[in-house]
Amino acid sequence: MMSRKFFIRRSIVCYLLMFFIVATAAAEKKGTGGTHSNFNYGVGARALSLGNAYVAMPFDASAIYWNPSGLDHIQYRNVSLFYSNLLVGVNYYFLGYVHPTTSIGTFGAGIISYGLDDIKITDNSNVYLGDASATEQLFLFSYGKKLPWNLSAGINLKIQHQDFAGFVATGVGTDVGFLYHPDFTHPLLSGFTIGLMIQNLVGPRLKAGVATDVMPINVRLGLAKPILKNEWGPAMTFFVDLEQGERAPFKYHAGAEYVFQNRAMLRMGMNNNQMAFGAGATFDRFQLDYSYGKFSEHELNASHRLSFTVQFGKSKQERIQIAEERRLREIRERVDQELFMDRQQKIAEALKEGKAYLEAEDFPRAIREFNFILKYEEELSDDLVVEEAKKLHEQAEQGSFKEVEQNIIQRQAKTEEERRRNEERARTNQLHKQALAYYEKEEYERAILEWQK
């Protein structure tokens, strides 16, 4: 009797899981999907504690799911892990990685998965047929980029894969998202962020057996507004999302987060009439988030949700600064190289000119050229050109010294000759005056003697 009840209970779980997996199956048998994707419940304890109002400010790894346009606002490479229970024995988790770059945007990759193992399969007669498992995964490959005019855009390539007891289906789709941060200056409007996420713009087509399931489009419009700020950043932020599915009723999401000294967070949200609560704490580059609530109004019990995020590496701003410093250093090195080559060329020309002047015994000009080279003696202490210039400079100085000595001797000889001539000229003038004096006295013989002298 116990065995029979056990199999019945396991079969019920199996049927519940089957209902969960195929809840989105077509009302028509082919070409249409159900009301929503099985992955519309969301990921990340922070987002879920805000009532799933997370489209306008998804600045962690869960942006891969909520809005990939937020990826380029993330400063650090980070990994985020999320875990929760959907049903008894059904584990639901998300693993995401974000890789910011300094110039070409930010890349991300993630996987969302749930599954149940060891399902006991029995027939109508309660005959055990064996064990089975049911799993579904959504692989996300994301890209986000900041654009001009305070706009950001992002896109997801998604691969959805189902495997239930050997019935396998795989489909490929895309999401697109946008963020806009208006540059308002009014205190009531400043800090507003507007987000738009279109999930399943191209919906994955899943065909298991004869039925084809196309995931329906789901559109979310979100607003986020910080109202209190302190030295650590926003202290209180409000979030509001509006959601409309292709074949699903309108939903609203709202939440509020209070941050204390950028270390501890308290959150509360409303997920379409379902309350959610949560908290978070950061230490260094680690963050732990917790949330409690229902995924939807159809759940019987609320569940606990946990997220763990770790940041690593240098921030985008630090890497931009390092890249800029490296660029400036490379520019300086190129300039220094060009200046070095220009200097070497001038040194070679100066050496050539100096040798030519030295050979022509134009020592002052030769010394001037060699002095130009010798002013780089400290910088080029081991350079052979400098050594050669130094020796040639000495030769030029010696030649110049000899030339100066010869000039001095010649100048002295010239001076002595001029002095002698001046003395002779003075003596001649004196004799001429004396002769004129004798002539005026009519002493002609004496005058003739003076003139002869």
Side-chain angles (χ1 to χ4, degrees):
M1 189 67 172
M2 288 294 295
S3 177
R4 180 178 179 83
K5 290 181 179 179
F6 175 77
F7 284 126
I8 291 174
R9 284 197 297 269
R10 294 309 298 251
S11 296
I12 290 173
V13 172
C14 178
Y15 294 144
L16 287 173
L17 182 60
M18 288 179 64
F19 173 77
F20 180 75
I21 293 178
V22 300
T24 60
E28 301 176 11
K29 290 186 178 179
K30 187 175 181 180
T32 60
T35 59
H36 61 80
S37 167
N38 295 333
F39 296 104
N40 272 19
Y41 296 102
V43 299
R46 183 187 182 211
L48 297 179
S49 63
L50 293 171
N52 291 23
Y54 208 55
V55 172
M57 202 173 283
F59 299 154
D60 57 30
S62 67
I64 294 170
Y65 172 86
W66 293 105
N67 191 346
S69 62
L71 290 173
D72 211 25
H73 294 264
I74 298 173
Q75 287 292 312
Y76 292 91
R77 286 174 286 174
N78 69 79
V79 174
S80 182
L81 175 63
F82 166 74
Y83 172 82
S84 182
N85 284 110
L86 290 178
L87 297 170
V88 177
V90 181
N91 298 318
Y92 181 64
Y93 70 87
F94 164 77
L95 176 64
Y97 169 70
V98 173
H99 187 92
T101 69
T102 58
S103 59
I104 61 173
T106 300
F107 299 88
I111 177 174
I112 311 172
S113 178
Y114 65 84
L116 179 64
D117 296 324
D118 300 327
I119 302 172
K120 304 298 181 182
I121 304 298
T122 61
D123 61 13
N124 294 333
S125 301
N126 199 31
V127 176
Y128 174 64
L129 301 178
D131 293 341
S133 63
T135 60
E136 186 169 11
Q137 295 89 28
L138 181 66
F139 300 91
L140 297 165
F141 303 94
S142 307
Y143 173 75
K145 182 74 171 69
K146 288 183 180 179
L147 303 174
W149 309 295
N150 300 320
L151 185 68
S152 301
I155 187 170
N156 282 337
L157 172 66
K158 53 202 296 184
I159 302 173
Q160 189 167 343
H161 178 77
Q162 293 178 348
D163 183 355
F164 178 69
F167 293 92
V168 179
T170 302
V172 178
T174 57
D175 306 327
V176 294
F178 301 92
L179 276 182
Y180 178 56
H181 187 72
D183 195 13
F184 294 138
T185 57
H186 193 280
L188 294 178
L189 299 176
S190 63
F192 250 118
T193 303
I194 303 171
L196 175 66
M197 179 63 172
I198 305 175
Q199 294 174 314
N200 300 319
L201 180 64
V202 177
R205 300 174 63 88
L206 301 171
K207 184 175 182 180
V210 296
T212 299
D213 189 12
V214 181
M215 295 298 102
I217 292 177
N218 193 60
V219 180
R220 303 176 71 109
L221 177 65
L223 299 174
K225 174 68 170 71
I227 62 169
L228 295 176
K229 292 187 177 181
N230 53 36
E231 57 184 305
W232 296 281
M236 176 71 79
T237 306
F238 285 100
F239 304 80
V240 176
D241 277 16
L242 305 176
E243 180 180 5
Q244 179 64 63
E246 183 180 1
R247 287 179 296 279
F250 171 82
K251 296 180 182 179
Y252 73 93
H253 312 273
E257 178 183 57
Y258 174 73
V259 181
F260 178 71
Q261 295 185 359
N262 207 29
R263 291 294 182 186
M265 290 76 72
L266 290 176
R267 308 181 184 104
M268 134 177 169
M270 182 70 71
N271 180 15
N272 203 42
N273 298 323
Q274 297 297 316
M275 290 292 295
F277 305 92
T282 62
F283 177 75
D284 197 12
R285 294 192 178 186
F286 302 92
Q287 180 166 332
L288 180 65
D289 294 300
Y290 167 79
S291 174
Y292 180 77
K294 293 182 179 181
F295 282 97
S296 70
E297 60 270 22
H298 303 297
E299 282 194 89
L300 298 177
N301 298 309
S303 59
H304 302 278
R305 291 80 71 99
L306 290 173
S307 286
F308 179 72
T309 302
V310 57
Q311 299 176 339
F312 55 93
K314 297 183 181 298
S315 70
K316 182 190 296 186
Q317 194 60 40
E318 290 173 334
R319 286 185 286 130
I320 289 174
Q321 183 177 353
I322 291 172
E324 179 64 15
E325 291 174 354
R326 182 170 59 248
R327 186 183 69 85
L328 293 176
R329 185 169 61 251
E330 290 174 353
I331 291 175
R332 286 195 296 268
E333 289 175 354
R334 287 199 301 269
V335 170
D336 290 343
Q337 182 65 22
E338 291 176 1
L339 291 175
F340 175 79
M341 297 303 296
D342 181 67
R343 183 181 65 191
Q344 292 300 105
Q345 182 178 357
K346 290 181 178 179
I347 288 175
E349 291 175 354
L351 184 64
K352 181 179 178 181
E353 293 291 330
K355 288 180 178 179
Y357 288 134
L358 184 62
E359 186 176 352
E361 296 186 352
D362 189 345
F363 301 114
R365 290 185 177 180
I367 291 173
R368 182 190 64 193
E369 297 297 330
F370 296 140
N371 280 336
F372 172 79
I373 301 174
L374 294 179
K375 71 180 181 179
Y376 298 107
E377 184 175 1
E378 292 185 3
E379 300 177 38
L380 305 172
S381 57
D382 297 329
D383 198 301
L384 296 178
V385 174
V386 175
E387 293 298 323
E388 184 179 4
K390 190 184 296 185
K391 294 178 181 178
L392 294 175
H393 182 270
E394 292 176 358
Q395 294 179 17
E397 283 186 333
Q398 291 175 0
S400 177
F401 181 74
K402 291 179 181 178
E403 184 178 43
V404 169
E405 284 184 335
Q406 292 176 358
N407 289 337
I408 292 173
I409 294 172
Q410 291 176 358
R411 192 175 298 112
Q412 289 176 344
K414 183 177 181 181
T415 301
E416 182 64 24
E417 179 65 20
E418 289 179 353
R419 185 187 62 76
R420 185 182 62 78
R421 289 181 180 178
N422 288 335
E423 289 178 353
E424 289 182 354
R425 189 178 296 110
R427 184 169 176 272
T428 300
N429 289 337
Q430 183 64 30
L431 292 173
H432 181 66
K433 289 179 181 180
Q434 187 64 41
L436 288 176
Y438 287 144
Y439 180 78
E440 290 177 356
K441 293 178 181 181
E442 295 182 355
E443 296 179 6
Y444 300 114
E445 290 182 0
R446 298 183 68 178
I448 292 171
L449 288 175
E450 294 298 323
W451 278 325
Q452 287 176 347
K453 292 179 182 180

